[in-house]
Amino acid sequence: MEIDPFIFRLSIFILSIFVGYYVVWSVTPSLHTPLMSVTNAISSVIIVGAIIASLAGNNETIFNTANIFGFLAIILAAVNIFGGFLVTQRMLAMYKKKKRKINK
Amino acid sequence: MSANLLAVFYLISGVLFILALRGLSSPETSRTGNLFGIIGMAIAISVTFLSIGNFSTGFFYLLIFLLIGGSIGAFIAFKIPMTAMPELVAGFHSLVGLAAVFVAISAFLNPEVFNLGSPKNIKIASLIEMSLGASIGAITFTGSIIAFLKLRGIMSGNPITFIAQHFVNLALGLTTIILIFFLCKTQTANFFWLIIIISFLLGILLIIPIGGADMPVVISMLNSYSGWAAAGIGFTLENTALIITGALVGSSGAILSYIMCKGMNRSFFSVILGGFGGTDQNSSSKSKEQKPVKNGNADDAAFLMKNASSVIIVPGYGMAVAQAQHALREMVDALKKNGVKVSYAIHPVAGRMPGHMNVLLAEANVPYDEVFELEEINSDFANCDVAYVIGANDVTNPVAKTDPQSPIYGMPILDVEKSKSVLFVKRSLSPGYAGIDNDLFYRDNTLMLFSDAKKMTEDITKNLD
């Protein structure tokens, strides 16, 4: 008897939900805004699908309808990836600890 | 590159993304975490490209489009003021949603590329996955646009409601499911387009009834949706990196929504059903008669705080609107010079998104170990001399503890009332978002400072020297 590969993907999916659940509960509340911007950036890994959609076709024309949607998705996802990671970086750089005061 | 090797690389990306979120458990590790996320993304993009092996024109176009999108993203990331983070995140969500729709359309038009069968003969499972991905993506897209417009102030923050609204939404949701069923049965492209159009509409209708101050929940919820959309596409494309990421983001957004709802003591459904915070809200205030308030100026406030031994600052959305975070930090510096102990108290739903106030204070160089969450600091109000409430209102209203009739009854509040004296910086006596009067304004130990938050804070600083 063979297991449908879908079941494997479903297992990965369900287990990842649990991983996400525990990891996100341990995020400190003061970093919830960076959490949102970074999840935004990583969910743009959907660009992988966009790349395949726009480049993998073996037809002559680069710009058929399916490819154009792929290219548009690449642009959108790229905005998100760069924007998301960079703005997260910018925010995280601002979180500083109290400097030890040197008494004058 | 073999399919197995490719899958291993996607798995590595997925693990790096988990580490990126794990890093956020403390500010020290967070920067490394972000780096892990970037590496994970770079791996995912590179191996996908290598696996296709189209090095000629395709590579050229990929780079061009990556560059266009990347420079727009980078430009926004560097230019955006920190007070605009909620809008930015809402805007970014909409892009993920739309990208999911586009990838799904592309997969539907050209299924051979993804090994999903041929047009008119796409595998049933793939059809279901891609229509779900496209549908959730479309809802995320239009929903986030509405959230963006409301946060930006282009659209009024008031809830927009109409008769049978929830019934219409429910009907649209059911129609989508029926359409997916027919799409699988007949493989007709028109059903697919209809699913996407209805989902666009549903996204708008779901968000318009939700009022401005419920936005923290909405943003978190859309965050969650964008994750589920990505996961749906991940199933279609049989891509583990996407499935893992989608699940992570989906659960992250769900947890944030839960935390925000708890911060307001409201059920998730009451927020989603919306209508809260409208002007027609029959508030429980019986204050027809004008009650007297003590009106103070910057001089009085400076005097009070200078002679205090400890001050707790309670920032709220008003501080963000007035961009008063830098002025506030300068005031605190002046207070510290006078030997006053200062800390900050943040309510979970202060601002328009989770952690909004923390980012603003961090921007103004406030060390994060002076900033405390509600549970950590609430008992300290009893021993504090002055509470300086800047731009917050409902989250300090004691009626949440005393009046079961009040719309905010049961909401956890900051116990500002317990401090020896309270300073409220507000522009007017107008009630807060919940539309209810705050008893705190009329107490003997409360001093109202009617002014713009930034201007008042600056004036106080001048008087402290």
Side-chain angles (χ1 to χ4, degrees):
Chain A
M1 218 168 67
E2 210 180 326
I3 301 171
D4 191 309
F6 172 79
I7 301 301
F8 284 116
R9 287 191 283 275
L10 188 67
S11 322
I12 294 173
F13 180 61
I14 303 287
L15 291 176
S16 301
I17 292 178
F18 278 92
V19 172
Y21 179 85
Y22 288 107
V23 170
V24 171
W25 268 119
S26 72
V27 171
T28 163
S30 66
L31 290 176
H32 275 163
T33 300
L35 171 68
M36 298 198 84
S37 61
V38 85
T39 49
N40 220 314
I42 64 171
S43 58
S44 304
V45 73
I46 202 158
I47 197 170
V48 165
I51 294 174
I52 300 172
S54 53
L55 294 188
N58 48 5
N59 32 13
E60 302 296 303
T61 49
I62 286 267
F63 290 106
N64 64 20
T65 327
N67 290 10
I68 288 172
F69 278 112
F71 281 129
L72 287 175
I74 290 182
I75 298 179
L76 295 177
V79 173
N80 241 325
I81 291 171
F82 283 78
F85 279 124
L86 287 174
V87 86
T88 310
Q89 194 86 346
R90 207 181 126 201
M91 274 192 274
L92 293 177
M94 299 184 311
Y95 282 81
K96 290 184 203 91
K97 240 194 165 127
K98 202 179 329 194
K99 280 191 214 102
R100 295 268 162 263
K101 272 231 183 89
I102 305 148
N103 289 325
K104 281 181 217 165
Chain B
M1 194 180 295
S2 81
N4 286 338
L5 191 58
L6 191 61
V8 170
F9 275 116
Y10 283 143
L11 183 63
I12 294 174
S13 298
V15 172
L16 285 168
F17 290 154
I18 295 173
L19 292 175
L21 299 192
R22 182 76 189 107
L24 290 170
S25 56
S26 105
E28 277 107 274
T29 54
S30 63
R31 288 170 272 256
T32 331
N34 199 37
L35 195 63
F36 282 137
I38 295 173
I39 296 171
M41 187 61 74
I43 291 178
I45 294 177
S46 325
V47 297
T48 309
F49 188 73
L50 289 175
S51 75
I52 298 169
N54 179 346
F55 287 103
S56 54
T57 41
F59 185 62
F60 176 70
Y61 283 116
L62 173 73
L63 272 187
I64 295 250
F65 290 121
L66 212 54
L67 218 65
I68 295 173
S71 32
I72 298 173
F75 179 78
I76 298 172
F78 285 116
K79 285 283 165 200
I80 192 93
M82 283 300 140
T83 41
M85 273 323 284
E87 296 100 288
L88 179 74
V89 169
F92 278 169
H93 286 155
S94 74
L95 297 184
V96 180
L98 194 60
V101 175
F102 284 167
V103 173
I105 291 178
S106 183
F108 182 76
L109 292 175
N110 200 0
E112 286 109 333
V113 176
F114 298 100
N115 299 319
L116 307 176
S118 55
K120 299 265 158 207
N121 195 18
I122 302 172
K123 282 186 272 181
I124 299 293
S126 309
L127 265 184
I128 298 176
E129 290 154 4
M130 74 172 77
S131 9
L132 281 178
S135 170
I136 302 173
I139 293 175
T140 313
F141 173 62
T142 48
S144 303
I145 298 272
I146 300 291
F148 175 85
L149 293 176
K150 284 193 174 193
L151 287 165
R152 191 89 213 161
I154 299 170
M155 207 172 135
S156 148
N158 286 337
I160 300 168
T161 47
F162 55 87
I163 304 161
Q165 189 161 26
H166 305 312
F167 179 76
V168 171
N169 290 347
L170 188 68
L172 286 178
L174 288 176
T175 315
T176 312
I177 295 170
I178 295 166
L179 283 172
I180 294 176
F181 175 77
F182 279 111
L183 175 68
C184 296
K185 238 183 143 186
T186 62
Q187 304 258 355
T188 314
N190 282 342
F191 285 126
F192 187 68
W193 305 127
L194 214 54
I195 290 171
I196 294 178
I197 292 168
I198 291 183
S199 304
F200 276 142
L201 190 65
L202 193 56
I204 297 173
L205 291 177
L206 278 175
I207 307 301
I208 53 169
I210 306 179
D214 280 341
M215 280 299 145
V217 182
V218 172
I219 298 198
S220 318
M221 188 181 80
L222 291 167
N223 186 230
S224 182
Y225 284 1
S226 70
W228 304 130
I233 302 295
F235 274 103
T236 321
L237 309 187
E238 311 186 341
N239 183 309
T240 26
L242 256 175
I243 295 177
I244 295 176
T245 316
L248 289 178
V249 177
S251 52
S252 162
I255 290 172
L256 289 177
S257 317
Y258 170 78
I259 296 175
M260 292 303 112
C261 287
K262 224 177 97 207
M264 298 190 286
N265 188 41
R266 302 187 44 208
S267 79
F268 185 66
F269 281 104
S270 87
V271 174
I272 296 307
L273 293 179
F276 191 73
T279 38
D280 57 337
Q281 193 88 36
N282 54 332
S283 56
S284 62
S285 63
K286 303 130 213 152
S287 56
K288 280 139 231 149
E289 83 277 27
Q290 207 58 24
K291 279 183 276 182
V293 294
K294 279 214 276 183
N295 199 339
N297 58 27
D299 203 18
D300 307 330
F303 178 80
L304 261 175
M305 284 200 269
K306 210 193 278 186
N307 292 306
S309 66
S310 68
V311 171
I312 297 180
I313 313 253
V314 181
Y317 182 58
M319 180 191 81
V321 175
Q323 308 252 20
Q325 65 272 31
H326 297 280
L328 184 65
R329 215 280 319 256
E330 278 159 27
M331 185 189 90
V332 170
D333 284 351
L335 282 174
K336 280 188 194 158
K337 247 187 250 162
N338 281 301
V340 182
K341 185 179 163 283
V342 186
S343 32
Y344 300 80
I346 313 267
H347 192 273
V349 293
R352 286 291 185 264
M353 78 183 294
H356 192 185
M357 290 300 122
N358 303 78
V359 171
L360 293 182
L361 292 177
E363 188 200 11
N365 283 320
V366 173
Y368 62 81
D369 39 6
E370 286 177 13
V371 183
F372 299 93
E373 305 299 321
L374 182 131
E375 302 87 41
E376 298 170 320
I377 199 164
N378 228 1
S379 53
D380 295 356
F381 278 108
N383 309 316
C384 117
D385 297 311
V386 178
Y388 186 71
V389 185
I390 171 167
N393 181 1
D394 288 338
V395 297
T396 64
N397 196 339
V399 81
K401 282 194 276 196
T402 51
D403 180 9
Q405 305 300 319
S406 164
I408 60 166
Y409 181 70
M411 176 169 111
I413 61 156
L414 289 161
D415 293 331
V416 174
E417 46 175 327
K418 290 190 183 149
S419 52
K420 291 203 188 80
S421 46
V422 184
L423 298 173
F424 260 102
V425 188
K426 248 182 135 288
R427 259 183 291 207
S428 68
L429 262 188
S430 64
Y433 169 70
I436 44 171
D437 213 13
N438 195 339
D439 275 346
L440 226 46
F441 296 164
Y442 311 106
R443 298 211 176 167
D444 282 342
N445 59 348
T446 301
L447 197 62
M448 299 300 294
L449 307 167
F450 294 115
S451 169
D452 173 69
K454 188 176 176 187
K455 196 175 164 300
M456 177 53 74
T457 309
E458 283 166 350
D459 289 349
I460 293 174
T461 314
K462 277 182 213 141
N463 281 301
L464 281 172
D465 294 330

